[in-house]
Amino acid sequence: MIEVGKLRKGMPLLIDGEIYIVLEANKHSMGRGDGIIRTRMKNLKTALVRQFTFQASEKVEEASLSIRHVQYLYSEEDFFHFMDLETFEQYTIGPDEMGDGLEYLKGNEEVDLQFHEERPIGVILPNTLVLQVTETAPAYKGDTVSGSGKPAVLETGLKVTVPFFVENGEMIRVDTRTGEYIERA
């Protein structure tokens, strides 16, 4: 158990049997008494963000999570298969646990899986991934307006805006946190 006054961004908590990650924790002092702690937390299973308000003297249960380095193997209907790179054990997770990983992962990609009590609960993507452009409009002479771009579809189906000079078949680096083009790879 941990006091809510010590909550920090990124801490995993167990609330009502669900695992949440703290996104924000702000203390608000009252005229008298301990005050309250207002938090925003993301449910790891449903990816929904909720707000919780606690008394400063309350305690919450910290969830114990472990991380394993795995390789994405393939998807089958709505299930995604991963293999632990050390033990070669295989894990299957559903689309709820995949979260944003659905749009970024291709076969043989190495990622981290979060586990709670030996059960996979989520995918941790690297900050950037290299993906191939499969569909985009051709570049035309004079397309040099700064700050603009053209839509492109990547090999995983993800749609991003790329600069005019990027063409079909090129490899580009994409930020998985924002879904934006970074550079050519």
Side-chain angles (χ1 to χ4, degrees), residues 19-180:
I19 300 172
Y20 290 87
I21 296 292
V22 177
L23 300 176
E24 284 180 22
N26 299 312
K27 184 172 184 174
H28 298 276
S29 299
M30 307 299 261
R32 290 189 230 170
D34 291 338
I36 58 173
I37 309 293
R38 289 196 176 116
T39 62
R40 282 186 51 232
M41 296 189 213
K42 180 179 179 180
N43 185 318
L44 281 183
K45 187 174 183 179
T46 64
L48 295 175
V49 176
R50 286 186 55 189
Q51 294 184 0
F52 291 94
T53 303
F54 301 100
Q55 294 296 320
S57 58
E58 283 186 68
K59 292 185 177 189
V60 291
E61 187 175 350
E62 191 170 7
S64 61
L65 299 180
S66 61
I67 296 175
R68 295 185 189 152
H69 195 65
V70 298
Q71 182 179 36
Y72 173 59
L73 299 175
Y74 63 95
S75 64
E76 180 180 63
E77 296 176 14
D78 281 346
F79 294 99
F80 302 87
H81 301 271
F82 296 86
M83 179 180 66
D84 189 314
L85 292 173
E86 291 179 14
T87 64
F88 303 108
E89 189 174 346
Q90 292 193 12
Y91 305 102
T92 303
I93 63 174
D96 292 340
E97 290 87 9
M98 278 296 287
D100 293 338
L102 288 170
E103 300 175 319
Y104 295 99
L105 289 184
K106 57 184 178 179
N108 299 325
E109 197 75 48
E110 292 185 13
V111 295
D112 291 328
L113 276 185
Q114 281 184 323
F115 286 80
H116 176 67
E117 297 177 355
E118 298 301 314
R119 186 179 72 89
I121 59 168
V123 175
I124 302 172
L125 295 171
N127 291 340
T128 62
L129 283 174
V130 175
L131 298 170
Q132 184 176 21
V133 176
T134 58
E135 184 182 324
T136 190
Y140 295 105
K141 189 174 183 177
D143 285 339
T144 58
V145 177
S146 64
S148 64
K150 60 183 179 179
V153 179
L154 306 182
E155 62 186 304
T156 61
L158 179 67
K159 295 177 182 171
V160 297
T161 300
V162 298
F164 289 111
F165 58 79
V166 174
E167 297 181 11
N168 287 338
E170 286 194 58
M171 302 299 280
I172 64 169
R173 191 172 311 280
V174 178
D175 188 328
T176 59
R177 298 164 292 188
T178 61
E180 295 177 350

